[in-house]
mmCIF file of all heavy atoms in Angstrom:
data_model
loop_
_atom_site.group_PDB
_atom_site.id
_atom_site.type_symbol
_atom_site.label_atom_id
_atom_site.label_comp_id
_atom_site.label_asym_id
_atom_site.label_seq_id
_atom_site.Cartn_x
_atom_site.Cartn_y
_atom_site.Cartn_z
ATOM 1 N N GLN A 179 78.988 2.053 87.263
ATOM 2 C CA GLN A 179 79.796 3.248 86.988
ATOM 3 C C GLN A 179 79.022 4.019 85.890
ATOM 4 O O GLN A 179 78.921 3.466 84.741
ATOM 5 C CB GLN A 179 81.196 2.999 86.543
ATOM 6 C CG GLN A 179 81.937 4.245 86.174
ATOM 7 C CD GLN A 179 82.163 5.167 87.266
ATOM 8 O OE1 GLN A 179 82.465 4.798 88.402
ATOM 9 N NE2 GLN A 179 82.083 6.475 86.987
ATOM 10 N N ALA A 180 78.529 5.190 86.155
ATOM 11 C CA ALA A 180 77.839 5.974 85.173
ATOM 12 C C ALA A 180 78.607 7.215 84.775
ATOM 13 O O ALA A 180 79.276 7.860 85.588
ATOM 14 C CB ALA A 180 76.450 6.403 85.675
ATOM 15 N N THR A 181 78.452 7.580 83.472
ATOM 16 C CA THR A 181 79.201 8.772 82.960
ATOM 17 C C THR A 181 78.115 9.515 82.096
ATOM 18 O O THR A 181 77.211 8.955 81.531
ATOM 19 C CB THR A 181 80.401 8.450 82.086
ATOM 20 O OG1 THR A 181 80.058 7.490 81.104
ATOM 21 C CG2 THR A 181 81.477 7.861 82.970
ATOM 22 N N LEU A 182 78.382 10.889 82.091
ATOM 23 C CA LEU A 182 77.424 11.764 81.308
ATOM 24 C C LEU A 182 78.190 12.325 80.048
ATOM 25 O O LEU A 182 79.276 12.766 80.256
ATOM 26 C CB LEU A 182 76.840 12.884 82.152
ATOM 27 C CG LEU A 182 75.962 13.792 81.493
ATOM 28 C CD1 LEU A 182 74.726 13.100 80.852
ATOM 29 C CD2 LEU A 182 75.394 14.884 82.469
ATOM 30 N N HIS A 183 77.558 12.227 79.017
ATOM 31 C CA HIS A 183 78.203 12.783 77.677
ATOM 32 C C HIS A 183 77.185 13.596 76.850
ATOM 33 O O HIS A 183 75.992 13.472 77.008
ATOM 34 C CB HIS A 183 78.590 11.518 76.845
ATOM 35 C CG HIS A 183 79.393 10.460 77.531
ATOM 36 N ND1 HIS A 183 80.747 10.305 77.265
ATOM 37 C CD2 HIS A 183 79.077 9.529 78.476
ATOM 38 C CE1 HIS A 183 81.183 9.242 78.012
ATOM 39 N NE2 HIS A 183 80.173 8.912 78.762
ATOM 40 N N HIS A 184 77.813 14.494 76.108
ATOM 41 C CA HIS A 184 77.090 15.363 75.278
ATOM 42 C C HIS A 184 76.705 14.624 74.001
ATOM 43 O O HIS A 184 77.601 14.188 73.294
ATOM 44 C CB HIS A 184 77.920 16.606 74.906
ATOM 45 C CG HIS A 184 78.219 17.512 76.090
ATOM 46 N ND1 HIS A 184 77.320 18.527 76.519
ATOM 47 C CD2 HIS A 184 79.331 17.581 76.883
ATOM 48 C CE1 HIS A 184 77.906 19.151 77.536
ATOM 49 N NE2 HIS A 184 79.062 18.557 77.837
ATOM 50 N N LEU A 185 75.381 14.618 73.706
ATOM 51 C CA LEU A 185 74.949 13.876 72.576
ATOM 52 C C LEU A 185 75.429 14.650 71.293
ATOM 53 O O LEU A 185 75.601 13.966 70.182
ATOM 54 C CB LEU A 185 73.365 13.819 72.561
ATOM 55 C CG LEU A 185 72.755 13.022 71.436
ATOM 56 C CD1 LEU A 185 73.304 11.602 71.346
ATOM 57 C CD2 LEU A 185 71.265 13.078 71.604
ATOM 58 N N GLU A 186 75.686 15.967 71.395
ATOM 59 C CA GLU A 186 76.210 16.694 70.253
ATOM 60 C C GLU A 186 77.684 16.261 69.852
ATOM 61 O O GLU A 186 78.102 16.467 68.748
ATOM 62 C CB GLU A 186 76.205 18.091 70.566
ATOM 63 C CG GLU A 186 74.817 18.790 70.720
ATOM 64 C CD GLU A 186 74.339 18.624 72.188
ATOM 65 O OE1 GLU A 186 74.910 17.941 72.922
ATOM 66 O OE2 GLU A 186 73.251 19.329 72.440
ATOM 67 N N ASP A 187 78.361 15.643 70.788
ATOM 68 C CA ASP A 187 79.732 15.171 70.471
ATOM 69 C C ASP A 187 79.681 13.834 69.783
ATOM 70 O O ASP A 187 79.707 12.753 70.316
ATOM 71 C CB ASP A 187 80.488 15.035 71.705
ATOM 72 C CG ASP A 187 82.030 14.762 71.528
ATOM 73 O OD1 ASP A 187 82.345 14.319 70.453
ATOM 74 O OD2 ASP A 187 82.819 15.087 72.393
ATOM 75 N N ARG A 188 79.559 13.896 68.464
ATOM 76 C CA ARG A 188 79.389 12.619 67.647
ATOM 77 C C ARG A 188 80.490 11.701 67.772
ATOM 78 O O ARG A 188 80.321 10.511 67.702
ATOM 79 C CB ARG A 188 79.094 13.062 66.223
ATOM 80 C CG ARG A 188 77.887 14.046 65.986
ATOM 81 C CD ARG A 188 76.626 13.429 66.507
ATOM 82 N NE ARG A 188 76.098 12.461 65.623
ATOM 83 C CZ ARG A 188 74.974 11.687 65.870
ATOM 84 N NH1 ARG A 188 74.355 11.925 67.041
ATOM 85 N NH2 ARG A 188 74.541 10.821 65.057
ATOM 86 N N ASP A 189 81.798 12.211 67.799
ATOM 87 C CA ASP A 189 82.975 11.366 67.873
ATOM 88 C C ASP A 189 82.882 10.522 69.179
ATOM 89 O O ASP A 189 83.235 9.320 69.228
ATOM 90 C CB ASP A 189 84.274 12.194 67.786
ATOM 91 C CG ASP A 189 84.444 12.663 66.408
ATOM 92 O OD1 ASP A 189 83.902 12.167 65.434
ATOM 93 O OD2 ASP A 189 85.228 13.754 66.278
ATOM 94 N N ASP A 190 82.533 11.135 70.245
ATOM 95 C CA ASP A 190 82.366 10.559 71.527
ATOM 96 C C ASP A 190 81.363 9.473 71.578
ATOM 97 O O ASP A 190 81.518 8.315 72.028
ATOM 98 C CB ASP A 190 82.214 11.628 72.628
ATOM 99 C CG ASP A 190 82.113 10.955 74.041
ATOM 100 O OD1 ASP A 190 82.826 10.047 74.271
ATOM 101 O OD2 ASP A 190 81.444 11.493 74.875
ATOM 102 N N PHE A 191 80.218 9.828 70.960
ATOM 103 C CA PHE A 191 79.048 8.916 70.761
ATOM 104 C C PHE A 191 79.441 7.692 70.068
ATOM 105 O O PHE A 191 79.230 6.621 70.515
ATOM 106 C CB PHE A 191 77.965 9.639 70.141
ATOM 107 C CG PHE A 191 76.632 8.933 70.081
ATOM 108 C CD1 PHE A 191 76.327 7.926 71.074
ATOM 109 C CD2 PHE A 191 75.582 9.265 69.238
ATOM 110 C CE1 PHE A 191 74.986 7.391 71.100
ATOM 111 C CE2 PHE A 191 74.314 8.725 69.216
ATOM 112 C CZ PHE A 191 74.073 7.679 70.174
#
Side-chain angles (χ1 to χ4, degrees):
Q179 177 63 44
T181 52
L182 180 57
H183 305 255
H184 294 276
L185 187 56
E186 294 87 349
D187 188 338
R188 305 299 288 174
D189 289 338
D190 185 32
F191 191 20

